[in-house]
Structure formats: C-alpha cells, structure tokens
Amino acid sequence: MNKENIAGIKSRFFEDISNSQTEKSLYDVKVKYVGRNGELTKILKNLKNLPPEERKEIGPLANRARHEIEKAYEERKKELGERIDWEKEKIDVTLPGKKEEIGSLHPATLVYREIEKIFPLMGFEIVEGPELETDWYNFTSLNFPFDHPARDMQDTFWIKSDKKKLVLRTHTSPVQVRYMEKRKPPFRIIVPGRVFRNEATDAAHEHTLHQFEALVVGENINVGHFKYIAKLFFSAFFGKKVDIRLRPSFFPFTEPSFEFDISCTVCAGKGCPSCKNGGWLEIGGAGMVNQNVFVSAGYPRNRYQGFAWGFGIERLAMMKYKIDDIRWFESGDLRFIKQF
Ligand code: PHE
C-alpha cells in the first residue's frame, strides 16, 4: 500500500514541478509534498508506527524519495532562475521616454562660485563666520556708536537670549575682527556669507541677502591697492574692462569710507537705461579700516593699514543675469531657478 503511495507521490511531484513556471508556484509544490504537513512528510512521520518488516522496506524508499524530491526541486529552481522572462523583457519602443529632471544652481551660488574662482588667483583666502552674531562682533567691535540706527529693532533682527545679546548678522564685516583676533598681518581674505535685515521688501530690498566682504591688511596698504584689485576682479567677473569710481561716504568701521561704483556693464559708461543714463552702477561700500577696529582685534593703533569692502551678491547677479527684482532670489520659485 505505502509502496505504491510513494511511487505515486513521486510521479505527481515531478509532473507538478514541470508545470510550475515561477519560483513561487514551484515552492508551493515543494511544500505540498515535503513541507511540514506534506504528503511524503506524513508517511515519514508515520514510519515509527509501522510493523518492523514494513518499516524496513518503506523507510529507505521514503527517504530516497525525499532526497530525489529535494534535488529535483533545486534543479528546477535553477532552471527557472536562468530562464529569460520574455514578458518582462519586452520593450515597447512606442512608449514616451522617462524624463530626467536636471537641477540647476541658484544664481547666488553661481556668483559665489565665480568669485571663489577669481580671488584665490590673487592670493586671497576664503573665510567664513557665523550667521548668528554677538552684538560685539556685529556692532561694538566695528566702532558702531550706541545710538546708531542699525542697532534699532526696525533695522535688525535681534534674538531673545539669556546670555549675550545675539543678532542675525546684518553684514559680513563681523568676520573682520573674528579673523584678525587669530591672525597677524599681512593677509588678504574674502568672506562670503548670508546676512539679514529687518527690511520692508520691494524690488530692490530683501530681508535675507548674500554679501562678500574683502579685507586686505598690511603695513602699507592704500586706496590704490583697493582700486586696483577691485578693477581686476570686476573685469574678470564681467568678462570685460570695468572702471571703478569712488564717492565719499560713511561707515563707522572705515576711515575714509566710500560708496563704490563700476562703469555700466551694458553701455561701458556711455549712458543707457540700465544705468539710468549715468554711466555708473552702484555696487557697495568700502574704505580704509578704521584704527579702532584694529584695536578691537588686539592690534596696536596705527601700526597697520588695510582696506575692506562689502558687496551684495544679489546686486551682482542682477547685473550679470539681468534680473529685475531682488525678491526672486528668496522666492523659492522654480521657474526662476531653472533659468540658470
Ligand atoms: N558692511 C557694510 C554693509 O553691509 C559694507 C562695507 C564693508 C563697507 C566693508 C565698508 C567696508 O553695508
């Protein structure tokens, strides 16, 4: 009785596996015969209840059948694994292609990268500082009087804090003293970074801006060095000859101080709508480092001289890429970013 059963189980098993076309159904077949409650498993479990003679005869048969089944299962599995699934391999060449979305860099990043390429060629080091500053570095060390309007709540984001008076830095100039505390002249640095102002925004004003500061200090640095380096930089940046114009101005941390213009990059100074017919474009502030700032940094008074400037990255990007409204930069609007 059992003998025939085993032969039957084997032949049904072989038929079932040759009909299985997937690894999953193949596995189900295996479970059906040699799983925990499989047909052959039942016979094997029952061996101990058989009379000794029968056990002697059936035992080896059943065990051999189990090995054969397991071996055949492995072979079939390998076969199925190697088989090419033509359904899956089929390619419909008439389907539309998958679109690759390619990102692009923000124009402020592009300008930074350009700047960071040019200045190291002139021996400048790139230095950064924190966006959350103390009153000391942002204002006091830079010679701001206590009643200066930049210290007002209206102009500046003050942070509530139990310890020091903290402020979202209003310019990159605080890095001047931070750097000088650690280094002795001569040196040349640029400081790229984000700055914040409590502004009512319009086409020309934003609350979050990017600047880059330059600071060159040595024993005999003068305004001529500043003009020369500025001219080299802006000519390289715009890819054409650019002239520089300085107008007297005031900053607490420079003396003398300047407003700084470049010749119009559209008309080269002749006058056009871009420069409102003036021939010049306003770029930023600059000046010779005030001796009080050197003293804040721990240098002796009147030992060194240096120049500093602070320019807005957005302004430069607006000129270079002809962007009409500064609010685009922080808008998060992908239609804007994708153009660069
Ligand atoms: N920090 C000044 C500003 O943000 C610019 C400046 C920098 C002026 C360095 C002079 C020297 O307006």
Side-chain angles (χ1 to χ4, degrees):
M1 164 72 179
N2 265 326
K3 237 160 72 181
E4 281 78 67
N5 276 0
I6 291 172
I9 285 172
K10 255 169 50 179
S11 73
R12 275 185 288 116
F13 170 80
F14 283 114
E15 197 180 322
D16 282 356
I17 63 165
S18 59
N19 287 334
S20 312
Q21 301 302 333
T22 64
E23 287 187 26
K24 165 85 179 79
S25 65
L26 180 66
Y27 183 74
D28 291 343
V29 171
K30 179 181 165 178
V31 171
K32 185 174 154 203
Y33 294 94
V34 290
R36 207 157 8 120
N37 294 311
E39 291 183 32
L40 187 65
T41 314
K42 277 185 196 148
I43 292 175
L44 284 161
K45 276 186 185 162
N46 195 41
L47 282 176
K48 59 181 185 300
N49 304 324
L50 295 178
E53 273 104 88
E54 229 177 299
R55 198 188 310 153
K56 247 194 205 153
E57 188 184 6
I58 301 297
L61 273 181
N63 274 313
R64 204 174 315 126
R66 198 183 63 187
H67 285 131
E68 283 171 45
I69 283 179
E70 254 149 27
K71 200 168 150 230
Y73 166 79
E74 291 303 330
E75 275 166 12
R76 179 71 177 149
K77 190 173 148 190
K78 204 170 153 223
E79 204 176 286
L80 286 181
E82 282 166 0
R83 212 162 61 165
I84 295 172
D85 181 349
W86 292 108
E87 261 320 297
K88 269 199 215 144
E89 294 296 316
K90 226 193 269 176
I91 295 175
D92 182 349
V93 293
T94 65
L95 281 177
K98 272 195 203 129
K99 202 167 160 198
E100 293 279 342
E101 289 281 351
I102 297 174
S104 54
L105 294 173
H106 192 280
T109 307
L110 289 175
V111 171
Y112 272 142
R113 293 209 174 166
E114 194 66 27
I115 290 171
E116 289 170 4
K117 242 193 278 171
I118 298 169
F119 276 95
L121 296 175
M122 300 192 278
F124 280 69
E125 186 189 345
I126 300 169
V127 178
E128 285 184 273
E131 291 177 356
L132 192 56
E133 261 303 359
T134 58
D135 175 284
W136 165 255
Y137 286 112
N138 198 81
F139 293 125
T140 309
S141 71
L142 294 173
N143 200 36
F144 276 79
F146 278 100
D147 56 357
H148 194 281
R151 291 178 180 249
D152 276 0
M153 298 289 268
Q154 280 71 28
D155 290 335
T156 300
F157 294 114
W158 290 95
I159 303 297
K160 277 193 192 135
S161 148
D162 327 332
K163 290 178 230 129
K164 287 177 194 154
K165 243 179 134 183
L166 293 178
V167 61
L168 285 176
R169 67 175 174 191
T170 58
H171 51 177
T172 43
S173 302
V175 184
Q176 292 188 15
V177 172
R178 282 187 176 277
Y179 183 84
M180 289 193 287
E181 280 174 344
K182 286 188 227 124
R183 302 296 185 88
K184 279 224 165 94
F187 61 78
R188 304 167 219 189
I189 61 170
I190 57 163
V191 183
R194 199 151 57 142
V195 305
F196 309 85
R197 305 216 173 148
N198 196 351
E199 290 277 0
T201 61
D202 62 30
H205 296 91
E206 248 302 5
H207 47 73
T208 301
L209 297 158
H210 297 81
Q211 284 193 336
F212 88 102
E213 189 95 1
L215 179 65
V216 174
V217 179
E219 295 206 346
N220 44 25
I221 300 295
N222 59 50
V223 179
H225 294 116
F226 160 52
K227 282 190 84 171
Y228 178 71
I229 290 196
K231 205 167 161 165
L232 277 184
F233 165 67
F234 282 99
S235 300
F237 182 77
F238 286 105
K240 54 177 80 163
K241 195 173 158 273
V242 170
D243 268 334
I244 304 295
R245 178 173 83 169
L246 304 182
R247 290 175 286 119
S249 183
F250 172 78
F251 297 100
F253 40 96
T254 47
E255 181 59 34
S257 303
F258 312 106
E259 287 301 324
F260 173 98
D261 303 331
I262 61 170
S263 53
C264 178
T265 52
V266 178
C267 65
K270 287 190 208 73
C272 73
S274 280
C275 55
K276 301 201 183 82
N277 286 314
W280 297 93
L281 301 167
E282 266 183 61
I283 293 279
M288 298 305 291
V289 178
N290 191 309
Q291 290 298 324
N292 289 341
V293 176
F294 287 144
V295 172
S296 294
Y299 292 174
R301 188 177 293 279
N302 295 333
R303 165 87 170 275
Y304 300 111
Q305 290 185 311
F307 71 77
W309 76 50
F311 300 150
I313 294 292
E314 283 79 1
R315 266 196 82 76
L316 289 184
M318 286 168 89
M319 288 175 200
K320 189 158 176 154
Y321 305 114
K322 315 265 182 295
I323 298 164
D324 61 352
D325 192 318
I326 198 168
R327 288 168 296 189
W328 283 116
F329 288 87
E330 293 288 318
S331 67
D333 190 328
L334 289 180
R335 291 171 307 175
F336 171 64
I337 313 284
K338 280 182 174 166
Q339 296 173 52
F340 300 94

